[in-house]
Amino acid sequence: MHHIGYLLTEGFQVMGLATQTVFEYANKVAGEEFYVLQNFSAAGGDQRSSLGVGIATRKASTADQIDTWVVCGVGNPLESPSSPEERAFLQDVVKDARRVAAICTGAFVLAEAGLLHRRRATTHWVFARDMQTLFPDIQVENDRIYIVDGPIWTSAGMTAGLDLALAMVEKDLGDEVSRGVAHNLVMHQHRSGGQSQHSEMLTLAPKSDRIQNAMNYARKNLARALTVDELAEEANLSPRQFSRVFTAETGMSPAKAIEGLRLEAARLMIEKSRHPLEIIARETGFRDRRHMREVFLRGFGVPPQSMRREVRS
């Protein structure tokens, strides 16, 4: 049996509690009550969330035999720093807990308690630069879904906490159980910690269905050459109209957007497969491995080989 304690700070975001469902379903899939969850706060009693809803908690100092502590984030950690009691508590429990995790901006609480000193960590990208400025001794990686550095786990934005929780389940109960949980929760994939917080498709965010349809078509056909005429036909527009509308809705040309989609697809293949780079370049529509390297350097500042080494490490 594995005991998980959630430390809720004042104004915590309720989305952080959604990760508890991952552990709930892990028990169902495993066919036993492996995880036992409890909510705590420094003072105990009802702890108010960012929505104003109170959640019943136990006083943290009464906690006993907690294997994993999870700290939920708040809306703006710069305006809501942790209390001295919360920091002192975390400094004490880290000695006995198997692991301590932070969801989203909960990483600031760990940082304020000194638990991230000289460690790799991530947080929501909006506050990553602030964290690096306030805590220069931390190696903040602002473009990662989650990071595991020894017993300390940190995740990016709120939904990334689900990926972190699922990774814990995989570590504790194995790949088969974690896949079963993901299937039950309709999580389409288990994102590795090294994945980027950003998606090229989300960044583009076209406003009309016709441009969205063209983008979906492009994403499904990246392995071959794609022309403006072909995409325009998919959007039921003339090539000239398509280019104009596409640029107005996405802020970039069709050619630049397609390059971004190829870059994202190649990055995902590097993170999730062991295919040679030549095959990845071909499958994602780059002319060759050299062309892919040029685009990687422009887009990420590192070549594909370096990204692969980082993911494997």
Side-chain angles (χ1 to χ4, degrees):
M1 191 170 289
H2 189 100
H3 293 261
I4 300 180
Y6 275 70
L7 182 64
L8 308 183
T9 60
E10 184 66 22
F12 74 93
Q13 291 192 310
V14 292
M15 182 66 182
L17 296 182
T19 57
Q20 295 187 0
T21 306
V22 173
F23 301 114
E24 174 192 355
Y25 272 81
N27 288 343
K28 295 178 184 291
V29 174
E32 61 173 316
E33 191 179 19
F34 180 82
Y35 293 110
V36 177
L37 279 68
Q38 292 177 293
N39 294 323
F40 296 90
S41 65
D46 281 358
Q47 188 75 337
R48 289 175 63 82
S49 72
S50 58
L51 287 174
V53 177
I55 299 293
T57 67
R58 289 180 53 193
K59 193 171 183 177
S61 59
T62 67
D64 186 35
Q65 296 181 331
I66 299 297
D67 301 291
T68 295
W69 282 98
V70 179
V71 181
C72 292
V74 296
N76 188 333
L78 305 179
E79 297 176 354
S80 305
S82 59
S83 68
E85 294 78 14
E86 290 162 347
R87 295 194 292 271
F89 173 75
L90 286 170
Q91 290 164 357
D92 184 54
V93 300
V94 74
K95 303 169 187 174
D96 300 316
R98 175 181 165 191
R99 59 196 174 200
V100 178
I103 298 172
C104 193
T105 56
F108 277 79
V109 181
L110 301 192
E112 290 157 1
L115 303 189
L116 300 182
H117 179 63
R118 293 185 177 179
R119 290 189 181 275
R120 298 169 57 238
T122 191
T123 188
H124 194 291
W125 62 270
V126 168
F127 297 103
R129 182 174 296 178
D130 295 308
M131 172 174 277
Q132 189 66 86
T133 301
L134 291 171
F135 306 99
D137 60 314
I138 301 173
Q139 183 182 335
V140 180
E141 300 185 19
N142 64 355
D143 200 26
R144 293 293 177 264
I145 295 298
Y146 63 85
I147 288 177
V148 181
D149 189 333
I152 307 297
W153 297 51
T154 52
S155 82
M158 287 298 175
T159 58
L162 298 172
D163 298 287
L164 179 145
L166 195 60
M168 287 184 175
V169 170
E170 182 175 351
K171 187 172 182 63
D172 296 338
L173 297 172
D175 181 64
E176 186 174 346
V177 173
S178 70
R179 285 202 313 267
V181 173
H183 181 70
N184 274 277
L185 297 183
V186 199
M187 295 174 67
H188 295 293
Q189 62 175 351
H190 173 193
R191 298 187 292 178
S192 65
Q195 268 190 239
S196 169
Q197 294 188 33
H198 305 286
S199 167
E200 190 69 28
M201 290 296 284
L202 291 176
T203 302
L204 291 171
K207 298 178 178 60
S208 65
D209 288 343
R210 55 190 177 183
I211 300 300
Q212 184 66 62
N213 290 339
M215 293 304 300
N216 290 337
Y217 176 83
R219 186 175 54 176
K220 294 175 183 178
N221 293 278
L222 288 177
R224 59 186 184 79
L226 291 167
T227 66
V228 170
D229 288 358
E230 187 176 356
L231 296 176
E233 183 177 352
E234 192 67 24
N236 291 317
L237 293 169
S238 71
R240 186 174 179 178
Q241 284 179 311
F242 175 77
S243 295
R244 179 176 54 78
V245 173
F246 189 98
T247 303
E249 291 193 13
T250 67
M252 65 179 69
S253 68
K256 188 66 176 177
I258 298 302
E259 182 180 276
L261 292 179
R262 296 193 198 283
L263 190 61
E264 181 178 80
R267 176 181 57 77
L268 290 175
M269 287 188 71
I270 287 172
E271 292 175 345
K272 299 176 69 65
S273 78
R274 293 185 175 272
H275 294 311
L277 295 179
E278 291 83 358
I279 291 179
I280 293 176
R282 184 174 68 241
E283 289 296 316
T284 53
F286 291 102
R287 292 192 301 271
D288 51 33
R289 177 172 171 171
R290 179 179 296 181
H291 180 215
M292 183 172 72
R293 184 179 188 277
E294 293 172 357
V295 177
F296 260 71
L297 286 171
R298 272 201 310 272
F300 298 130
V302 295
Q305 298 93 324
S306 296
M307 185 171 289
R308 169 155 281 176
R309 282 194 298 269
E310 181 182 351
V311 169
R312 287 179 177 177
S313 66

